[in-house]
Amino acid sequence: MTRDEARKKVIFALDVNGLAEIDRYAGILAGKVGMFKVGKELFSATGPDAVRAVQRHGGQVFLDLKYHDIPNTVAKAMLESARLGVQLANLHALGGAAMMEAAATAVRKEFGDQRPRLLAVTILTSSTEETLRGIGIEHSVQDMVVRLARLALDAGMDGVVASPLEIELIRAACGPDFLIVTPGVRPGFASQDDQQRIMTPSDAVKAGSDYLVIGRPIATAADPALAADLIVDEIVAGLS
Ligand code: C5P
């Protein structure tokens, strides 16, 4: 794998709450990572200006708003996300097949092959079997992850967000073209923070992850650009 191929797999989680911090990180990292993830905190603080700020620095965007609502509302919200020119956007698979189909159909109709790739969140990695039992789901987390990934594929979604430890099962159920985006990635040099079930960047890519979402190992490094470079090096070294 070339450095450029490895770099494109790294998505930096912009877990900040203001435009000035976007300028700081995107200015440093635009040529160093493949994409920037804008999530609920940042989007609630700044709205679509966050996406535009990243784009002004030449960065691509994963809009991580995890929609879950009635099909018509999610389809319209997803269309507006696509119109911002983002590369990845997502929703909760727990919203069901009709909701995912409505979003996938609306976005494919307007954007065709130029569409952002649509991802489904299966079961949040913060959820345990106990969490599921509390909401009346009597299946294991693993069974639910595979079931929801398969439902997402059949509903026309392009991929899922998942723990690196779930990659193998999802690949087996959904095939080689289904995108798998994994947070919970920690390079050798970084702290584990509050992430519980982690993998190194190269192990996650070897296991079949298409994109790695990485936040604090880059954000809190003394030199974030260097940290991003080291992660890319680690991926290339692990795969050669
Ligand atoms: O700083 P860190 O690398 O842990 O950031 C990971 C990012 O991925 C955060 O934005 C976090 O909210 C997100 N995420 C996660 N686990 C999930 C889904 C999203 O860590 N299951």
Side-chain angles (χ1 to χ4, degrees):
M1 178 169 300
T2 65
R3 283 198 101 257
D4 207 45
E5 285 166 342
R7 184 183 60 76
K8 286 191 176 137
K9 290 182 176 295
V10 178
I11 302 179
F12 174 61
L14 259 175
D15 291 327
V16 299
N17 62 7
L19 294 173
E21 288 158 287
I22 301 178
D23 282 336
R24 180 164 102 77
Y25 281 117
I28 298 172
L29 296 170
K32 302 279 180 185
V33 299
M35 224 180 277
F36 293 83
K37 181 171 83 69
V38 172
K40 285 194 173 95
E41 179 192 5
L42 182 54
F43 201 83
S44 298
T46 68
D49 283 348
V51 174
R52 296 185 192 110
V54 172
Q55 289 168 337
R56 263 201 308 280
H57 287 279
Q60 300 201 326
V61 177
F62 168 16
L63 191 57
D64 178 23
L65 297 180
K66 299 190 183 74
Y67 297 132
H68 186 167
D69 209 314
I70 60 171
N72 180 59
T73 299
V74 169
K76 286 185 166 162
M78 200 55 104
L79 260 185
E80 293 303 333
S81 291
R83 288 173 184 155
L84 292 174
V86 304
Q87 276 65 40
L88 294 173
N90 62 1
L91 47 67
H92 270 289
L94 282 166
M99 186 199 80
M100 290 191 278
E101 265 168 33
T105 305
V107 169
R108 277 169 202 269
K109 188 168 165 223
E110 186 166 317
F111 294 90
D113 220 34
Q114 301 305 309
R115 72 186 182 285
R117 278 4 190 203
L118 302 189
L119 306 173
V121 174
T122 57
I123 299 294
L124 290 168
T125 49
S126 52
S127 295
T128 62
E129 221 130 287
E130 206 187 323
T131 318
L132 296 187
R133 267 202 310 278
I135 53 172
I137 298 175
E138 306 283 341
H139 297 286
S140 70
V141 170
Q142 273 199 356
D143 285 357
M144 285 304 293
V145 165
V146 172
R147 180 191 186 122
L148 291 169
R150 195 57 228 195
L151 192 70
L153 173 68
D154 293 341
M157 301 296 292
D158 297 293
V160 285
V161 183
S163 154
L165 298 150
E166 295 160 352
I167 295 171
E168 209 177 313
L169 282 172
I170 294 169
R171 268 283 163 255
C174 300
D177 298 329
F178 200 55
L179 294 175
I180 303 180
V181 178
T182 53
V185 176
R186 284 293 177 272
F189 65 81
S191 135
Q192 189 172 334
D193 302 308
D194 56 356
Q195 294 283 8
Q196 296 301 323
R197 303 185 303 143
I198 55 173
M199 246 192 221
T200 65
S202 56
D203 283 347
V205 172
K206 269 189 240 167
S209 176
D210 295 288
Y211 295 99
L212 315 172
V213 177
I214 305 177
R216 286 161 293 179
I218 295 174
T220 63
D223 182 345
L226 177 65
D229 280 343
L230 289 175
I231 289 167
V232 171
D233 289 344
E234 184 172 329
I235 297 171
V236 173
L239 271 96
S240 59

